[in-house]
PDB file of all heavy atoms in Angstrom:
ATOM      1  N   GLU K 209      41.408  30.633  -7.399  1.00 97.00           N
ATOM      2  CA  GLU K 209      42.331  29.554  -7.047  1.00 97.00           C
ATOM      3  C   GLU K 209      42.542  29.489  -5.538  1.00 97.00           C
ATOM      4  O   GLU K 209      42.629  28.401  -4.949  1.00 97.00           O
ATOM      5  CB  GLU K 209      43.654  29.746  -7.761  1.00 97.00           C
ATOM      6  CG  GLU K 209      44.726  28.707  -7.430  1.00 97.00           C
ATOM      7  CD  GLU K 209      44.371  27.292  -7.874  1.00 97.00           C
ATOM      8  OE1 GLU K 209      43.332  27.103  -8.560  1.00 97.00           O
ATOM      9  OE2 GLU K 209      45.133  26.365  -7.530  1.00 97.00           O
ATOM     10  N   ALA K 210      42.615  30.646  -4.902  1.00 97.00           N
ATOM     11  CA  ALA K 210      42.773  30.664  -3.445  1.00 97.00           C
ATOM     12  C   ALA K 210      41.565  30.019  -2.760  1.00 97.00           C
ATOM     13  O   ALA K 210      41.726  29.257  -1.790  1.00 97.00           O
ATOM     14  CB  ALA K 210      42.949  32.102  -2.957  1.00 97.00           C
ATOM     15  N   VAL K 211      40.369  30.301  -3.243  1.00 97.00           N
ATOM     16  CA  VAL K 211      39.164  29.690  -2.682  1.00 97.00           C
ATOM     17  C   VAL K 211      39.209  28.176  -2.888  1.00 97.00           C
ATOM     18  O   VAL K 211      38.873  27.399  -1.973  1.00 97.00           O
ATOM     19  CB  VAL K 211      37.892  30.294  -3.302  1.00 97.00           C
ATOM     20  CG1 VAL K 211      36.658  29.473  -2.920  1.00 97.00           C
ATOM     21  CG2 VAL K 211      37.730  31.737  -2.866  1.00 97.00           C
ATOM     22  N   ALA K 212      39.647  27.737  -4.065  1.00 98.00           N
ATOM     23  CA  ALA K 212      39.714  26.298  -4.346  1.00 98.00           C
ATOM     24  C   ALA K 212      40.712  25.606  -3.419  1.00 98.00           C
ATOM     25  O   ALA K 212      40.445  24.512  -2.905  1.00 98.00           O
ATOM     26  CB  ALA K 212      40.095  26.063  -5.804  1.00 98.00           C
ATOM     27  N   ILE K 213      41.855  26.240  -3.190  1.00 98.00           N
ATOM     28  CA  ILE K 213      42.857  25.671  -2.287  1.00 98.00           C
ATOM     29  C   ILE K 213      42.314  25.602  -0.865  1.00 98.00           C
ATOM     30  O   ILE K 213      42.382  24.564  -0.195  1.00 98.00           O
ATOM     31  CB  ILE K 213      44.148  26.511  -2.325  1.00 98.00           C
ATOM     32  CG1 ILE K 213      44.842  26.379  -3.680  1.00 98.00           C
ATOM     33  CG2 ILE K 213      45.101  26.107  -1.194  1.00 98.00           C
ATOM     34  CD1 ILE K 213      45.961  27.378  -3.894  1.00 98.00           C
ATOM     35  N   ALA K 214      41.773  26.727  -0.390  1.00 98.00           N
ATOM     36  CA  ALA K 214      41.258  26.774   0.980  1.00 98.00           C
ATOM     37  C   ALA K 214      40.110  25.794   1.167  1.00 98.00           C
ATOM     38  O   ALA K 214      39.999  25.146   2.228  1.00 98.00           O
ATOM     39  CB  ALA K 214      40.819  28.196   1.314  1.00 98.00           C
ATOM     40  N   ALA K 215      39.246  25.658   0.156  1.00 98.00           N
ATOM     41  CA  ALA K 215      38.109  24.731   0.258  1.00 98.00           C
ATOM     42  C   ALA K 215      38.580  23.288   0.328  1.00 98.00           C
ATOM     43  O   ALA K 215      38.044  22.477   1.099  1.00 98.00           O
ATOM     44  CB  ALA K 215      37.165  24.925  -0.920  1.00 98.00           C
ATOM     45  N   PHE K 216      39.586  22.933  -0.474  1.00 98.00           N
ATOM     46  CA  PHE K 216      40.104  21.562  -0.440  1.00 98.00           C
ATOM     47  C   PHE K 216      40.630  21.231   0.951  1.00 98.00           C
ATOM     48  O   PHE K 216      40.304  20.178   1.518  1.00 98.00           O
ATOM     49  CB  PHE K 216      41.219  21.380  -1.467  1.00 98.00           C
ATOM     50  CG  PHE K 216      41.815  19.995  -1.447  1.00 98.00           C
ATOM     51  CD1 PHE K 216      41.309  18.994  -2.266  1.00 98.00           C
ATOM     52  CD2 PHE K 216      42.856  19.674  -0.584  1.00 98.00           C
ATOM     53  CE1 PHE K 216      41.831  17.705  -2.226  1.00 98.00           C
ATOM     54  CE2 PHE K 216      43.391  18.388  -0.536  1.00 98.00           C
ATOM     55  CZ  PHE K 216      42.877  17.402  -1.357  1.00 98.00           C
ATOM     56  N   TYR K 217      41.432  22.139   1.515  1.00 98.00           N
ATOM     57  CA  TYR K 217      42.038  21.840   2.811  1.00 98.00           C
ATOM     58  C   TYR K 217      41.049  21.967   3.964  1.00 98.00           C
ATOM     59  O   TYR K 217      41.173  21.259   4.964  1.00 98.00           O
ATOM     60  CB  TYR K 217      43.283  22.699   3.016  1.00 98.00           C
ATOM     61  CG  TYR K 217      44.421  22.222   2.149  1.00 98.00           C
ATOM     62  CD1 TYR K 217      44.926  23.006   1.115  1.00 98.00           C
ATOM     63  CD2 TYR K 217      44.977  20.963   2.342  1.00 98.00           C
ATOM     64  CE1 TYR K 217      45.953  22.549   0.305  1.00 98.00           C
ATOM     65  CE2 TYR K 217      46.005  20.496   1.535  1.00 98.00           C
ATOM     66  CZ  TYR K 217      46.488  21.293   0.510  1.00 98.00           C
ATOM     67  OH  TYR K 217      47.494  20.819  -0.298  1.00 98.00           O
ATOM     68  N   LEU K 218      40.050  22.832   3.824  1.00 98.00           N
ATOM     69  CA  LEU K 218      39.001  22.868   4.831  1.00 98.00           C
ATOM     70  C   LEU K 218      38.265  21.534   4.853  1.00 98.00           C
ATOM     71  O   LEU K 218      38.030  20.955   5.924  1.00 98.00           O
ATOM     72  CB  LEU K 218      38.023  24.014   4.545  1.00 98.00           C
ATOM     73  CG  LEU K 218      36.797  24.109   5.449  1.00 98.00           C
ATOM     74  CD1 LEU K 218      37.183  24.162   6.926  1.00 98.00           C
ATOM     75  CD2 LEU K 218      35.947  25.325   5.065  1.00 98.00           C
ATOM     76  N   ALA K 219      37.941  21.013   3.681  1.00 98.00           N
ATOM     77  CA  ALA K 219      37.271  19.716   3.607  1.00 98.00           C
ATOM     78  C   ALA K 219      38.164  18.602   4.139  1.00 98.00           C
ATOM     79  O   ALA K 219      37.695  17.692   4.837  1.00 98.00           O
ATOM     80  CB  ALA K 219      36.860  19.420   2.167  1.00 98.00           C
ATOM     81  N   ALA K 220      39.462  18.672   3.830  1.00 98.00           N
ATOM     82  CA  ALA K 220      40.380  17.638   4.305  1.00 98.00           C
ATOM     83  C   ALA K 220      40.465  17.625   5.820  1.00 98.00           C
ATOM     84  O   ALA K 220      40.470  16.558   6.459  1.00 98.00           O
ATOM     85  CB  ALA K 220      41.768  17.860   3.697  1.00 98.00           C
ATOM     86  N   GLY K 221      40.533  18.809   6.418  1.00 98.00           N
ATOM     87  CA  GLY K 221      40.576  18.882   7.875  1.00 98.00           C
ATOM     88  C   GLY K 221      39.276  18.426   8.500  1.00 98.00           C
ATOM     89  O   GLY K 221      39.276  17.675   9.483  1.00 98.00           O
ATOM     90  N   VAL K 222      38.150  18.875   7.940  1.00 98.00           N
ATOM     91  CA  VAL K 222      36.845  18.490   8.483  1.00 98.00           C
ATOM     92  C   VAL K 222      36.622  16.990   8.340  1.00 98.00           C
ATOM     93  O   VAL K 222      36.036  16.346   9.219  1.00 98.00           O
ATOM     94  CB  VAL K 222      35.721  19.294   7.807  1.00 98.00           C
ATOM     95  CG1 VAL K 222      34.343  18.737   8.179  1.00 98.00           C
ATOM     96  CG2 VAL K 222      35.821  20.761   8.205  1.00 98.00           C
ATOM     97  N   ARG K 223      37.091  16.417   7.254  1.00 98.00           N
ATOM     98  CA  ARG K 223      36.984  14.955   7.079  1.00 98.00           C
ATOM     99  C   ARG K 223      37.591  14.227   8.277  1.00 98.00           C
ATOM    100  O   ARG K 223      36.973  13.315   8.848  1.00 98.00           O
ATOM    101  CB  ARG K 223      37.689  14.538   5.796  1.00 98.00           C
ATOM    102  CG  ARG K 223      37.843  13.031   5.624  1.00 98.00           C
ATOM    103  CD  ARG K 223      38.777  12.701   4.481  1.00 98.00           C
ATOM    104  NE  ARG K 223      39.102  11.281   4.454  1.00 98.00           N
ATOM    105  CZ  ARG K 223      40.005  10.752   3.628  1.00 98.00           C
ATOM    106  NH1 ARG K 223      40.659  11.522   2.770  1.00 98.00           N
ATOM    107  NH2 ARG K 223      40.246   9.456   3.664  1.00 98.00           N
ATOM    108  N   SER K 224      38.794  14.628   8.680  1.00 97.00           N
ATOM    109  CA  SER K 224      39.428  13.990   9.833  1.00 97.00           C
ATOM    110  C   SER K 224      38.609  14.195  11.105  1.00 97.00           C
ATOM    111  O   SER K 224      38.483  13.285  11.935  1.00 97.00           O
ATOM    112  CB  SER K 224      40.840  14.549  10.030  1.00 97.00           C
ATOM    113  OG  SER K 224      41.686  14.194   8.942  1.00 97.00           O
ATOM    114  N   LEU K 225      38.047  15.385  11.264  1.00 97.00           N
ATOM    115  CA  LEU K 225      37.266  15.674  12.464  1.00 97.00           C
ATOM    116  C   LEU K 225      35.952  14.904  12.474  1.00 97.00           C
ATOM    117  O   LEU K 225      35.477  14.488  13.542  1.00 97.00           O
ATOM    118  CB  LEU K 225      37.013  17.177  12.553  1.00 97.00           C
ATOM    119  CG  LEU K 225      38.274  18.049  12.672  1.00 97.00           C
ATOM    120  CD1 LEU K 225      37.895  19.522  12.657  1.00 97.00           C
ATOM    121  CD2 LEU K 225      39.048  17.710  13.935  1.00 97.00           C
ATOM    122  N   VAL K 226      35.361  14.718  11.314  1.00 98.00           N
ATOM    123  CA  VAL K 226      34.142  13.909  11.222  1.00 98.00           C
ATOM    124  C   VAL K 226      34.408  12.500  11.727  1.00 98.00           C
ATOM    125  O   VAL K 226      33.629  11.941  12.519  1.00 98.00           O
ATOM    126  CB  VAL K 226      33.635  13.873   9.761  1.00 98.00           C
ATOM    127  CG1 VAL K 226      32.632  12.740   9.553  1.00 98.00           C
ATOM    128  CG2 VAL K 226      32.994  15.202   9.391  1.00 98.00           C
ATOM    129  N   TYR K 227      35.535  11.935  11.322  1.00 97.00           N
ATOM    130  CA  TYR K 227      35.836  10.564  11.717  1.00 97.00           C
ATOM    131  C   TYR K 227      36.310  10.469  13.167  1.00 97.00           C
ATOM    132  O   TYR K 227      36.077   9.467  13.838  1.00 97.00           O
ATOM    133  CB  TYR K 227      36.889   9.970  10.781  1.00 97.00           C
ATOM    134  CG  TYR K 227      36.396   9.765   9.359  1.00 97.00           C
ATOM    135  CD1 TYR K 227      37.232   9.997   8.278  1.00 97.00           C
ATOM    136  CD2 TYR K 227      35.092   9.351   9.112  1.00 97.00           C
ATOM    137  CE1 TYR K 227      36.789   9.806   6.981  1.00 97.00           C
ATOM    138  CE2 TYR K 227      34.634   9.165   7.810  1.00 97.00           C
ATOM    139  CZ  TYR K 227      35.489   9.387   6.747  1.00 97.00           C
ATOM    140  OH  TYR K 227      35.042   9.202   5.463  1.00 97.00           O
ATOM    141  N   ALA K 228      36.962  11.501  13.671  1.00 96.00           N
ATOM    142  CA  ALA K 228      37.509  11.432  15.030  1.00 96.00           C
ATOM    143  C   ALA K 228      36.498  11.812  16.106  1.00 96.00           C
ATOM    144  O   ALA K 228      36.482  11.213  17.185  1.00 96.00           O
ATOM    145  CB  ALA K 228      38.736  12.332  15.146  1.00 96.00           C
ATOM    146  N   LEU K 229      35.634  12.811  15.822  1.00 96.00           N
ATOM    147  CA  LEU K 229      34.769  13.360  16.865  1.00 96.00           C
ATOM    148  C   LEU K 229      33.280  13.267  16.566  1.00 96.00           C
ATOM    149  O   LEU K 229      32.463  13.526  17.449  1.00 96.00           O
ATOM    150  CB  LEU K 229      35.140  14.823  17.133  1.00 96.00           C
ATOM    151  CG  LEU K 229      36.530  15.041  17.744  1.00 96.00           C
ATOM    152  CD1 LEU K 229      36.850  16.536  17.810  1.00 96.00           C
ATOM    153  CD2 LEU K 229      36.606  14.434  19.137  1.00 96.00           C
ATOM    154  N   ALA K 230      32.911  12.939  15.326  1.00 96.00           N
ATOM    155  CA  ALA K 230      31.509  12.754  14.942  1.00 96.00           C
ATOM    156  C   ALA K 230      30.621  13.932  15.329  1.00 96.00           C
ATOM    157  O   ALA K 230      29.587  13.769  15.982  1.00 96.00           O
ATOM    158  CB  ALA K 230      30.963  11.463  15.553  1.00 96.00           C
ATOM    159  N   PRO K 231      30.982  15.166  14.948  1.00 98.00           N
ATOM    160  CA  PRO K 231      30.162  16.321  15.334  1.00 98.00           C
ATOM    161  C   PRO K 231      28.828  16.347  14.610  1.00 98.00           C
ATOM    162  O   PRO K 231      28.687  15.823  13.500  1.00 98.00           O
ATOM    163  CB  PRO K 231      31.036  17.506  14.900  1.00 98.00           C
ATOM    164  CG  PRO K 231      31.802  16.970  13.719  1.00 98.00           C
ATOM    165  CD  PRO K 231      32.112  15.544  14.079  1.00 98.00           C
ATOM    166  N   ASP K 232      27.857  16.994  15.256  1.00 98.00           N
ATOM    167  CA  ASP K 232      26.566  17.228  14.601  1.00 98.00           C
ATOM    168  C   ASP K 232      26.657  18.370  13.596  1.00 98.00           C
ATOM    169  O   ASP K 232      25.849  18.450  12.665  1.00 98.00           O
ATOM    170  CB  ASP K 232      25.497  17.587  15.638  1.00 98.00           C
ATOM    171  CG  ASP K 232      25.181  16.428  16.570  1.00 98.00           C
ATOM    172  OD1 ASP K 232      25.199  15.275  16.115  1.00 98.00           O
ATOM    173  OD2 ASP K 232      24.919  16.689  17.758  1.00 98.00           O
ATOM    174  N   ARG K 233      27.615  19.267  13.804  1.00 98.00           N
ATOM    175  CA  ARG K 233      27.760  20.426  12.920  1.00 98.00           C
ATOM    176  C   ARG K 233      29.188  20.952  13.043  1.00 98.00           C
ATOM    177  O   ARG K 233      29.828  20.794  14.085  1.00 98.00           O
ATOM    178  CB  ARG K 233      26.763  21.525  13.296  1.00 98.00           C
ATOM    179  CG  ARG K 233      26.780  22.767  12.401  1.00 98.00           C
ATOM    180  CD  ARG K 233      25.593  23.672  12.725  1.00 98.00           C
ATOM    181  NE  ARG K 233      24.343  22.985  12.425  1.00 98.00           N
ATOM    182  CZ  ARG K 233      23.145  23.356  12.876  1.00 98.00           C
ATOM    183  NH1 ARG K 233      23.046  24.434  13.656  1.00 98.00           N
ATOM    184  NH2 ARG K 233      22.060  22.681  12.561  1.00 98.00           N
ATOM    185  N   VAL K 234      29.671  21.582  11.973  1.00 98.00           N
ATOM    186  CA  VAL K 234      30.962  22.272  11.995  1.00 98.00           C
ATOM    187  C   VAL K 234      30.708  23.727  11.612  1.00 98.00           C
ATOM    188  O   VAL K 234      30.152  24.017  10.544  1.00 98.00           O
ATOM    189  CB  VAL K 234      31.975  21.639  11.024  1.00 98.00           C
ATOM    190  CG1 VAL K 234      33.284  22.411  11.041  1.00 98.00           C
ATOM    191  CG2 VAL K 234      32.219  20.170  11.394  1.00 98.00           C
ATOM    192  N   VAL K 235      31.092  24.629  12.504  1.00 98.00           N
ATOM    193  CA  VAL K 235      30.893  26.068  12.313  1.00 98.00           C
ATOM    194  C   VAL K 235      32.241  26.694  11.987  1.00 98.00           C
ATOM    195  O   VAL K 235      33.228  26.443  12.677  1.00 98.00           O
ATOM    196  CB  VAL K 235      30.309  26.701  13.588  1.00 98.00           C
ATOM    197  CG1 VAL K 235      30.116  28.206  13.399  1.00 98.00           C
ATOM    198  CG2 VAL K 235      28.989  26.034  13.965  1.00 98.00           C
ATOM    199  N   VAL K 236      32.293  27.510  10.945  1.00 97.00           N
ATOM    200  CA  VAL K 236      33.556  28.073  10.467  1.00 97.00           C
ATOM    201  C   VAL K 236      33.549  29.592  10.594  1.00 97.00           C
ATOM    202  O   VAL K 236      32.649  30.268  10.086  1.00 97.00           O
ATOM    203  CB  VAL K 236      33.828  27.683   8.996  1.00 97.00           C
ATOM    204  CG1 VAL K 236      35.161  28.255   8.528  1.00 97.00           C
ATOM    205  CG2 VAL K 236      33.813  26.166   8.839  1.00 97.00           C
ATOM    206  N   GLY K 237      34.552  30.129  11.300  1.00 95.00           N
ATOM    207  CA  GLY K 237      34.719  31.562  11.439  1.00 95.00           C
ATOM    208  C   GLY K 237      36.119  31.979  11.038  1.00 95.00           C
ATOM    209  O   GLY K 237      36.874  31.214  10.439  1.00 95.00           O
ATOM    210  N   GLY K 238      36.478  33.212  11.378  1.00 92.00           N
ATOM    211  CA  GLY K 238      37.795  33.732  11.028  1.00 92.00           C
ATOM    212  C   GLY K 238      37.771  34.502   9.731  1.00 92.00           C
ATOM    213  O   GLY K 238      36.855  34.357   8.905  1.00 92.00           O
ATOM    214  N   GLY K 239      38.797  35.328   9.546  1.00 90.00           N
ATOM    215  CA  GLY K 239      38.844  36.182   8.362  1.00 90.00           C
ATOM    216  C   GLY K 239      38.857  35.410   7.064  1.00 90.00           C
ATOM    217  O   GLY K 239      38.088  35.699   6.136  1.00 90.00           O
ATOM    218  N   LEU K 240      39.728  34.410   6.952  1.00 92.00           N
ATOM    219  CA  LEU K 240      39.797  33.608   5.732  1.00 92.00           C
ATOM    220  C   LEU K 240      38.563  32.720   5.610  1.00 92.00           C
ATOM    221  O   LEU K 240      38.095  32.437   4.508  1.00 92.00           O
ATOM    222  CB  LEU K 240      41.067  32.762   5.736  1.00 92.00           C
ATOM    223  CG  LEU K 240      41.455  32.087   4.415  1.00 92.00           C
ATOM    224  CD1 LEU K 240      41.726  33.123   3.342  1.00 92.00           C
ATOM    225  CD2 LEU K 240      42.662  31.186   4.607  1.00 92.00           C
ATOM    226  N   GLY K 241      38.030  32.308   6.758  1.00 92.00           N
ATOM    227  CA  GLY K 241      36.844  31.463   6.745  1.00 92.00           C
ATOM    228  C   GLY K 241      35.613  32.136   6.185  1.00 92.00           C
ATOM    229  O   GLY K 241      34.648  31.459   5.814  1.00 92.00           O
ATOM    230  N   SER K 242      35.629  33.462   6.104  1.00 91.00           N
ATOM    231  CA  SER K 242      34.475  34.191   5.576  1.00 91.00           C
ATOM    232  C   SER K 242      34.629  34.571   4.108  1.00 91.00           C
ATOM    233  O   SER K 242      33.828  35.344   3.581  1.00 91.00           O
ATOM    234  CB  SER K 242      34.239  35.461   6.410  1.00 91.00           C
ATOM    235  OG  SER K 242      35.363  36.329   6.329  1.00 91.00           O
TER     236      SER K 242
END
Side-chain angles (χ1 to χ4, degrees):
E209 178 65 6
V211 169
I213 292 169
F216 178 91
Y217 287 114
L218 175 54
V222 170
R223 170 191 170 187
S224 294
L225 298 176
V226 164
Y227 293 142
L229 294 173
D232 293 325
R233 182 170 296 163
V234 178
V235 179
V236 181
L240 193 62
S242 62

